[in-house]
Amino acid sequence: RPNSTLKWTLNNEAPKLGKDKTRSLIQEAFGDWARYAPLKFREAEAGEKTDFSISFQTGEHDDGYPFDGSGGTLAHAFFPTDGKVHFDATEDWTDKYVDGAGYNFRLVASHQIGHALGLPHSRDPKSLMFPFYQLIQPQDLLPKDDRAFIRALYATSATNKPTTFRATTVKTTAATKKTTTQTQTLSDDRCARFFDAVFGGSDNWLYTLDYDIVWRNYQGQWDPQGLPITDVFPGAEPHMMAGIVSPVTKKIYLFKGRRVWRFSPPNTLDSGFPKHLFGTGTPFNPVAALYEKKHIWLLKGGLLFKFHEDDIRYEDDKPPKRLNEQFPGVPADVRTAFTYEGKHYFFTEPDRK
Ligand SMILES: [Zn+2]
Ligand SMILES: [Zn+2]
């Protein structure tokens, strides 16, 4: 329906924000998409037929996807042409763009409107359509991946791009000494899933392992399709648990069970691998590998195990470090994590209350 005006209606409001604030944030959220596609949106007048029906709900609300109280699922939307967008009324909604001060309503609304417009989740951790809530500053909307997707979906050419909007991107480069941490929670459990492993390196590649398929991203551009893991990493097995590119040796390590695979650029399995890792208390199936303080750390059960690259072993003569000792504020129940462009990303399971 390009070039037509789509109409939305707001049925109730976020108690904490009030009706006027909720309405203006919804307007901004629609604006995020209208800026990059030939789409127009406006609030419906009384009695008009609407394309999007927005409401705040609690618990069971007759669509088969009950909300779960504070935390966990924040909102959900239905793909076209249903147009229903529901927000969990019990969440701590905010209009502020700071971590730890509630969920930014405009960002979650934009994500849900993306779904209502037909967008699936993105595998790009910087995108708005990534299935986990994360703080994005308003001047960074829309991220590149989302722009490309809405343009492709609504068949607009790049020449339609607006001239009045300038996005400033704050980049943390791999060379930056200081690393920042981010904790993220599942924003929507209807279509979200976890990948086995996500990792990237200073070589501008990001690898996403999804059982036996690898999705690669090179300098922001995704492969048109997933590749069999054995094509990308000859000798690897399906369902690898963690991976990392060593910034020092540029070698790629994949972990599964108590074994490690090591690849030399361009992704050739080193002889003698996979190797078994021995030692008392070595973690079975680490959930993630992180690079910090010149070492690889394997994460399992809220503990960090130091992995020595030079002699391929866990450090088992010292007790493992607690995750929140190394990264204060990060909860112990991290489901997966990765280091990408100098930032550590931590993902937790949604709270079930
Ligand atoms: Zn619902
Ligand atoms: Zn979603």
Side-chain angles (χ1 to χ4, degrees):
R1 293 168 288 180
N3 296 318
S4 66
T5 299
L6 300 169
K7 294 175 276 296
W8 54 269
T9 183
L10 178 64
N11 298 299
N12 54 3
E13 70 273 4
K16 233 187 108 183
L17 296 171
K19 187 112 190 171
D20 289 347
K21 194 79 210 173
T22 305
R23 178 186 279 123
S24 72
L25 293 172
I26 296 266
Q27 256 154 10
E28 287 179 21
F30 276 109
D32 289 336
W33 297 103
R35 218 177 274 128
Y36 294 102
L39 295 165
K40 289 195 191 89
F41 304 98
R42 70 167 170 82
E43 192 169 2
E45 280 154 32
E48 252 187 327
K49 193 196 158 290
T50 60
D51 300 284
F52 306 96
S53 173
I54 300 154
S55 61
F56 290 81
Q57 307 279 349
T58 51
E60 193 72 62
H61 55 278
D62 296 328
D63 61 10
Y65 301 99
F67 281 132
D68 52 2
S70 177
T73 301
L74 305 178
H76 53 231
F78 296 85
F79 284 120
T81 52
D82 181 283
K84 275 201 291 290
V85 181
H86 293 161
F87 297 92
D88 192 337
T90 59
E91 300 298 345
D92 184 16
W93 297 113
T94 180
D95 58 347
K96 299 195 168 46
Y97 294 86
V98 284
D99 265 323
Y103 295 106
N104 183 283
F105 179 68
R106 185 258 194 105
L107 293 176
V108 177
S110 276
H111 177 103
Q112 297 306 328
I113 288 165
H115 282 317
L117 289 169
L119 267 72
H121 282 137
S122 164
R123 290 157 186 271
D124 182 345
K126 289 183 191 166
S127 74
L128 181 66
M129 294 313 291
F130 200 58
F132 307 93
Y133 173 82
Q134 65 180 321
L135 192 66
I136 300 174
Q137 293 303 320
Q139 68 268 23
D140 295 331
L141 293 168
L142 288 173
K144 207 171 126 196
D145 186 71
D146 305 293
R147 267 185 267 166
F149 217 118
I150 193 71
R151 279 185 182 137
L153 195 61
Y154 287 87
T156 164
S157 73
T159 55
N160 280 351
K161 72 167 177 274
T163 49
T164 50
F165 183 78
R166 245 186 218 103
T168 26
T169 314
V170 185
K171 261 206 158 164
T172 317
T173 64
T176 309
K177 288 280 180 294
K178 195 179 152 286
T179 54
T180 55
T181 61
Q182 277 184 312
T183 312
Q184 314 189 5
T185 44
L186 201 63
S187 84
D188 130 21
D189 65 0
R190 205 157 68 83
C191 36
R193 53 159 302 163
F194 287 100
F195 305 116
D196 291 336
V198 184
F199 62 96
S202 45
D203 58 353
N204 290 316
W205 283 97
L206 179 74
Y207 299 93
T208 305
L209 273 48
D210 190 359
Y211 195 69
D212 58 351
I213 297 293
V214 178
W215 292 83
R216 298 181 308 177
N217 180 305
Y218 183 65
Q219 294 186 330
Q221 204 66 41
W222 288 96
D223 282 342
Q225 58 187 35
L227 301 166
I229 193 168
T230 46
D231 286 8
V232 182
F233 300 110
E237 291 177 6
H239 206 29
M240 292 295 191
M241 301 309 291
I244 196 163
V245 185
S246 166
V248 177
T249 62
K250 310 290 178 208
K251 287 182 187 280
I252 291 176
Y253 295 86
L254 298 179
F255 299 90
K256 177 187 176 178
R258 286 195 180 87
R259 286 179 297 162
V260 58
W261 283 250
R262 191 181 73 192
F263 298 86
S264 291
N267 299 7
T268 313
L269 186 67
D270 285 351
S271 77
F273 286 87
K275 281 190 181 194
H276 277 270
L277 295 158
F278 295 103
T280 47
T282 56
F284 184 78
N285 280 340
V287 300
L290 297 163
Y291 197 87
E292 174 86 356
K293 302 208 161 98
K294 294 179 181 163
H295 282 288
I296 292 170
W297 297 83
L298 293 159
L299 177 62
K300 181 70 194 250
L303 298 171
L304 288 165
F305 298 81
K306 202 186 241 180
F307 176 80
H308 291 269
E309 264 199 277
D310 40 10
D311 53 357
I312 312 295
R313 63 175 179 88
Y314 291 112
E315 185 175 85
D316 55 7
D317 55 336
K318 290 196 189 88
K321 260 195 159 175
R322 268 204 301 281
L323 179 63
N324 56 14
E325 222 174 284
Q326 185 90 49
F327 304 105
V330 175
D333 62 341
V334 167
R335 174 64 176 71
T336 192
F338 57 90
T339 308
Y340 181 59
E341 292 193 352
K343 271 190 179 183
H344 298 308
Y345 291 82
F346 296 97
F347 299 99
T348 55
E349 294 276 24
D351 304 333
R352 294 287 171 211
K353 284 171 187 162

